[in-house]
Amino acid sequence: MPTTTWNRHHILSLADFTAAEYNTVLQTAASFQEVLSRRTKKVPTLQGQVVANLFFESSTRTRSSFELAAKRLSADTLNFAAATSSMTKGETILDTAKTYLAMGTDIMVVRHREAGVPNAIAAEMDRLGVKVSVLNAGDGQHEHPSQALLDLFTITTLIDPASPRLELLKGKKIAIVGDILHSRVARSNIWSLIASGAEVHLAAPPTLLPKLFAEYILEEAGVKNQQFIISSSPTHHSPLPTPQLFLHWQLEPALQNADFVMTLRLQKERMTDHLLPSLREYHQLFGITRTKLQLCKPNVKVLHPGPVNRGVEISSELMDDPEFSLIQSQVTSGVAVRMALLYLIGSSKV
Ligand code: NCD
């Protein structure tokens, strides 16, 4: 493992992650990737520690990936699923967390459909003065740090497998396309990609990328006003020196010469209004296909956090095309990255 100091006790958001922290995660994940390529894929690092997966919302890959990561580190794992728990009898979230605390849990991995739940549990653990760490596995429309970190790992290892690091993305053009309004994945990715020095282009119809959202991001990131450009025309010329975050209400300017395209699921369960005329029209305008990728750099790669609505945000054939699609390697990277996160907070000295 790289010899670094890690001072973060909870991982709740990437908004205040430092370049050193990103690089520590990337290097640690690379070491675990190597462990996972061995015949014996297990290390004793977290032996005796308890990792509880508190998933108050559905999940396939994030939950399984955290569980496998914990097991590969030799931790004992507990899995909680809201639908089959005492929450159906009226138990509160904090009481559920305290139940797991009483069983000796060291790390709580928390997912909830409301933003802020992992923060609330972390605050309660701190108030109680216990050394339990909380890892946000996706909270409402807020953040999904481990997903953005595994995306970062996937693309930086592609560029330099031996030494993935943040600066490899400096100057790269990365398009994030789709349901940005409802996406915690997009929010976390915006922080990590801005920190890397990449040029981040968000593309969505105005209903899924409202101006107010831009102002919110702007305020949160403390990014200077002039770094934001909203373009609704296919060709836009930036008069500004080093813009880093662009918003587009059309797909083409975001794809033009892009190195990576991150597609997002249309989060139908979070749409309360009729934000789109039809899925077919959405696919025509914003769905990523092999033909549309011709606007990008020739060796462009496509990511998607999953689960995918095939034929909506990405064409089915592109999703399965190993020449362009990194979707399977994102899932694979997820285990190494989550091992790194569990290891770093599990052995943090705070
Ligand atoms: C994402 C999530 O749940 O936020 N998926 C994931 O964790 N792999 C994205 C989504 O649900 O669209």
Side-chain angles (χ1 to χ4, degrees):
M1 272 335 100
T3 48
T4 40
T5 47
W6 179 267
N7 295 316
R8 196 177 284 265
H9 186 48
H10 306 293
I11 299 177
L12 302 169
S13 157
L14 295 187
D16 62 347
F17 247 58
T18 63
E21 285 175 309
Y22 283 115
N23 283 327
T24 301
V25 171
L26 293 173
Q27 285 158 24
T28 313
S31 318
F32 284 124
Q33 187 92 307
E34 189 276 316
V35 169
L36 293 174
S37 68
R38 295 181 199 157
R39 215 158 72 92
T40 306
K41 300 174 170 51
K42 217 164 162 135
V43 285
T45 325
L46 293 190
Q47 205 156 37
Q49 294 207 33
V50 177
V51 176
N53 280 322
L54 307 184
F55 277 62
F56 299 91
E57 188 202 77
S58 315
S59 168
T60 300
R61 57 221 93 209
T62 307
R63 191 163 68 81
S64 305
S65 175
F66 267 115
E67 184 179 351
L68 186 57
K71 287 183 162 146
R72 297 289 197 218
L73 293 169
S74 305
D76 295 315
T77 53
L78 293 172
N79 281 310
F80 159 92
T84 53
S85 74
S86 290
M87 291 201 85
T88 57
K89 302 178 185 171
E91 188 165 66
T92 68
I93 295 169
L94 288 185
D95 283 336
T96 303
K98 281 189 227 164
T99 303
Y100 281 89
L101 169 66
M103 278 187 246
T105 296
D106 298 285
I107 300 176
M108 293 183 187
V109 179
V110 181
R111 167 171 288 195
H112 199 283
R113 68 186 168 83
E114 300 293 339
V117 169
N119 295 61
I121 296 177
E124 182 64 5
M125 295 301 137
D126 293 347
R127 191 187 67 79
L128 294 170
V130 292
K131 293 204 104 196
V132 173
S133 291
V134 177
L135 234 151
N136 179 3
D139 63 329
Q141 295 170 209
H142 177 225
E143 284 227 33
H144 194 345
S146 66
Q147 180 67 45
L149 291 168
L150 78 86
D151 292 343
L152 187 66
F153 182 72
T154 307
I155 56 183
T156 51
T157 41
L158 193 76
I159 301 171
D160 185 351
S163 175
R165 55 199 187 278
L166 201 57
E167 75 207 37
L168 293 172
L169 297 187
K170 198 170 168 58
K172 297 275 184 221
K173 177 169 175 178
I174 301 178
I176 304 182
V177 181
D179 188 357
I180 290 161
L181 178 65
H182 299 104
S183 177
R184 52 198 178 204
V185 175
R187 294 216 198 350
S188 292
N189 264 311
I190 288 169
W191 305 143
S192 57
L193 296 175
I194 285 181
S196 75
E199 229 186 60
V200 184
H201 291 251
L202 310 180
T207 46
L208 298 179
L209 181 51
K211 270 192 182 172
L212 261 179
F213 170 83
E215 281 160 22
Y216 152 79
I217 293 280
L218 182 106
E219 218 181 280
E220 283 243 330
V223 176
K224 285 190 193 71
N225 229 325
Q226 64 265 32
Q227 290 187 305
F228 271 84
I229 295 173
I230 297 194
S231 95
S232 52
S233 67
T235 48
H236 80 271
H237 302 285
S238 156
L240 306 168
T242 50
Q244 246 200 297
L245 186 58
F246 300 79
L247 280 77
H248 307 279
W249 289 329
Q250 288 183 350
L251 181 61
E252 290 71 19
L255 293 190
Q256 208 90 54
N257 285 320
D259 296 280
F260 295 96
V261 180
M262 294 183 164
T263 49
L264 300 170
R265 184 174 66 90
L266 268 190
Q267 307 217 356
K268 294 176 224 146
E269 76 279 15
R270 293 194 214 284
M271 291 188 193
T272 43
D273 300 317
H274 298 285
L275 298 177
L276 294 168
S278 76
L279 293 183
R280 188 204 289 231
E281 184 185 303
Y282 177 82
H283 182 69
Q284 258 168 21
L285 296 175
F286 286 93
I288 305 297
T289 60
R290 275 208 204 111
T291 315
K292 287 183 190 154
L293 284 188
Q294 286 168 5
L295 288 168
C296 306
K297 294 250 174 74
N299 56 354
V300 64
K301 298 284 180 256
V302 179
L303 297 95
H304 192 302
V308 177
N309 296 307
R310 278 184 184 262
V312 180
E313 59 261 4
I314 181 169
S315 69
S316 199
E317 51 158 19
L318 179 58
M319 181 181 167
D320 298 328
D321 185 343
E323 193 193 333
F324 295 108
S325 170
L326 293 178
I327 298 175
Q328 289 306 106
S329 73
Q330 284 173 277
V331 177
T332 307
S333 302
V335 181
V337 169
R338 289 176 173 123
M339 283 173 83
L341 300 180
L342 293 171
Y343 163 77
L344 290 168
I345 58 174
S347 41
S348 89
K349 302 193 178 39
V350 182

